[in-house]
Amino acid sequence: LSNAAPFIPGKLQVADVKGGMFGDLRVSGLHYHNESLSLDVGALVLRWEPMGLLHRRLHVVELSVVDGRFEQLQPSEPEPESSEPVTPPDIRLPLEIRLDRVAVNNFQVITAPGAESLVVNQLLLRAKAEGSDIELETLEVALPDIGLETAGQVQVSGDYPLSLRNDFNLRMADVPNLR
């Protein structure tokens, strides 16, 4: 990663790297910032099977981020309003994608200067995609007062047919959990 730093706009610092991009990679103390954003990551793990790319398959065994913070330092430019109807594109992925475990633990997001932060206690994703079909095996999100577990399928073409199963949990002080 330190070899890539001169080619990345902004400033990138990394405390420690173990492994490499082709197999298992462990990064700790990652800090990146430029004029519009700041990103800090305590620990990042990437384990994947790069040889699968020869067979048009991206297989991520594990991608995990622990103790992170993302902050948007400048307000985003508003999108111009359009009177044209929005037509979703038909998407066909050029390779098969398999995500065995994508995990985020203890991550803070600040979307604009002065905005309240969103704290993600835990996020866990397992999914696969091929062509225009996406299967969400599980998506679990735990915020301080809200929990969500979902699974299902979506086709990202045509009318975008969607089938999801959701379990929503709202935690409020002095009130029993609502499910």
Side-chain angles (χ1 to χ4, degrees):
L1 286 177
S2 59
N3 292 338
F7 302 103
I8 298 173
K11 186 172 182 182
L12 173 66
Q13 296 176 314
V14 177
D16 189 39
V17 177
K18 290 186 171 67
M21 288 299 296
F22 298 104
D24 292 357
L25 175 67
R26 296 178 185 278
V27 177
S28 61
L30 184 139
H31 304 284
Y32 173 76
H33 72 273
N34 62 25
E35 59 194 32
S36 62
L37 65 90
S38 174
L39 175 67
D40 294 305
V41 174
L44 179 138
V45 173
L46 172 62
R47 293 186 316 124
W48 67 300
E49 297 178 0
M51 294 302 291
L53 294 175
L54 297 174
H55 305 285
R56 298 177 21 144
R57 185 176 37 242
L58 172 61
H59 184 185
V60 175
V61 177
E62 177 184 8
L63 174 60
S64 63
V65 173
V66 178
D67 297 331
R69 176 184 166 98
F70 171 85
E71 183 174 1
Q72 188 73 38
L73 301 174
Q74 295 179 352
S76 300
E77 294 292 323
E79 292 283 328
E81 290 191 26
S82 172
S83 59
E84 299 291 320
V86 175
T87 304
D90 284 346
I91 298 171
R92 182 149 184 86
L93 298 171
L95 69 162
E96 176 187 346
I97 299 173
R98 174 81 193 161
L99 305 174
D100 289 348
R101 183 175 190 274
V102 176
V104 175
N105 290 291
N106 191 29
F107 200 92
Q108 182 180 16
V109 178
I110 301 171
T111 58
E116 193 172 315
S117 68
L118 169 69
V119 176
V120 178
N121 295 339
Q122 181 177 14
L123 180 142
L124 179 62
L125 169 68
R126 282 192 344 222
K128 58 185 173 182
E130 187 171 5
S132 59
D133 297 321
I134 299 172
E135 181 179 347
L136 188 60
E137 294 174 3
T138 186
L139 173 62
E140 299 174 15
V141 180
L143 306 178
D145 297 323
I146 299 171
L148 171 69
E149 294 181 27
T150 190
Q153 297 84 31
V154 63
Q155 186 177 29
V156 289
S157 63
D159 293 334
Y160 277 59
L162 171 71
S163 172
L164 291 176
R165 296 169 305 284
N166 298 299
D167 184 8
F168 180 78
N169 186 349
L170 177 63
R171 296 176 288 281
M172 299 170 53
D174 302 324
V175 176
N177 282 350
L178 298 176
R179 284 196 132 182

